[in-house]
Amino acid sequence: MTRRKTQSGQKPNKPSPGGFVRIISGRWRGRKLPVHDVAGLRPTTDRVKETVFNWLAPEIHGATCLDVFAGSGSLGLEALSRGAGQLTLLELDSQAANQLKRNLDTLGSDNAILHQTDSLAYLAKPGTAYDLVFIDPPFRRDLLPEVIRLLEENGWLMPHALIYLEAEKELGSPDTPTHWQLLKEKTAGQVCYRLYQREKP
């Protein structure tokens, strides 16, 4: 692959060992995909991802998925690899979004849609209901309450949708609607991750 030059004309640093995400299982098992070095980008670790997709295994095949803060695409691409029916990725940063597009092209995926957009602005519009939503926002920006509100108010969730939340452990339990049932919860280092199922209110 030809290395791109930065605007200053200098070649960027070679990717660090953390500059890739690995697809764990499914049709793209073992594929490593580059991740653009964006401030605050934290790809979900393989350890966490394996646990999460063990939780989701009975539900993933054919599911429509929304990755609200796609970043590296680690969660959404894993879902596609394991048989999800359709994936929508939202990512604001142009460099991260461009890398995601290249990775989708590399995989030859034809059932993923990428929007370079502000996630809150996107969710503020009337939505299409999804079976599974991944929410892994940048830490310490207090984005979860507004995302949860918009998902509920604007029709982004199927009646029994699954919602995955990943957040800093220090945040404690997020304030979720009473009809979101907590199915699973674990902590890894400074990250707490949870799986909810929505019951129609």
Side-chain angles (χ1 to χ4, degrees):
M1 179 187 298
T2 302
R3 288 186 292 173
R4 295 185 304 108
K5 292 186 177 181
T6 62
Q7 291 181 349
S8 65
Q10 298 296 316
K11 291 181 179 179
N13 294 331
K14 292 181 180 180
S16 69
F20 295 87
V21 293
R22 183 174 68 92
I23 296 179
I24 297 171
S25 189
R27 60 176 166 156
W28 300 319
R29 180 179 180 177
R31 295 290 295 271
K32 288 186 176 181
L33 300 167
V35 176
H36 194 86
D37 185 15
V38 175
L41 186 64
R42 307 168 298 96
T44 300
T45 66
D46 282 2
R47 173 188 167 192
V48 170
K49 192 161 58 173
E50 189 157 15
T51 299
V52 171
F53 281 92
N54 283 340
W55 294 347
L56 294 172
E59 309 294 338
I60 199 73
H61 186 77
T64 57
C65 304
L66 174 64
D67 195 343
V68 176
F69 299 96
S72 68
S74 179
L75 293 167
L77 295 179
E78 186 74 32
L80 276 187
S81 182
R82 294 174 183 241
Q86 192 272 332
L87 170 66
T88 300
L89 302 126
L90 310 180
E91 175 54 44
L92 177 60
D93 185 90
S94 61
Q95 293 176 315
N98 287 338
Q99 185 62 66
L100 272 171
K101 184 179 185 304
R102 288 192 290 271
N103 289 345
L104 288 167
D105 290 343
T106 296
L107 295 171
S109 172
D110 60 359
N111 55 343
I113 301 170
L114 170 65
H115 297 283
Q116 185 196 333
T117 184
D118 178 274
S119 297
L120 295 183
Y122 188 88
L123 296 176
K125 301 176 293 186
T128 299
Y130 287 86
D131 299 312
L132 172 60
V133 177
F134 298 105
I135 310 171
D136 180 13
F139 277 7
R140 301 177 183 89
R141 296 191 190 175
D142 196 30
L143 295 169
L144 274 179
E146 184 68 359
V147 170
I148 291 169
R149 183 184 72 81
L150 293 173
L151 286 171
E152 277 291 337
E153 290 185 1
N154 293 327
W156 293 100
L157 301 171
M158 293 291 283
H160 299 288
L162 291 165
I163 305 104
Y164 171 76
L165 299 183
E166 186 173 323
E168 58 270 42
K169 183 171 65 175
E170 67 202 52
L171 189 65
S173 297
D175 186 13
T176 56
T178 56
H179 58 279
W180 285 23
Q181 179 188 1
L182 179 62
L183 301 180
K184 302 282 186 179
E185 179 178 23
K186 289 196 75 171
T187 300
Q190 298 304 307
V191 174
C192 189
Y193 52 108
R194 301 171 174 91
L195 182 65
Y196 295 85
Q197 184 159 36
R198 182 179 187 267
E199 298 296 332
K200 188 174 180 180

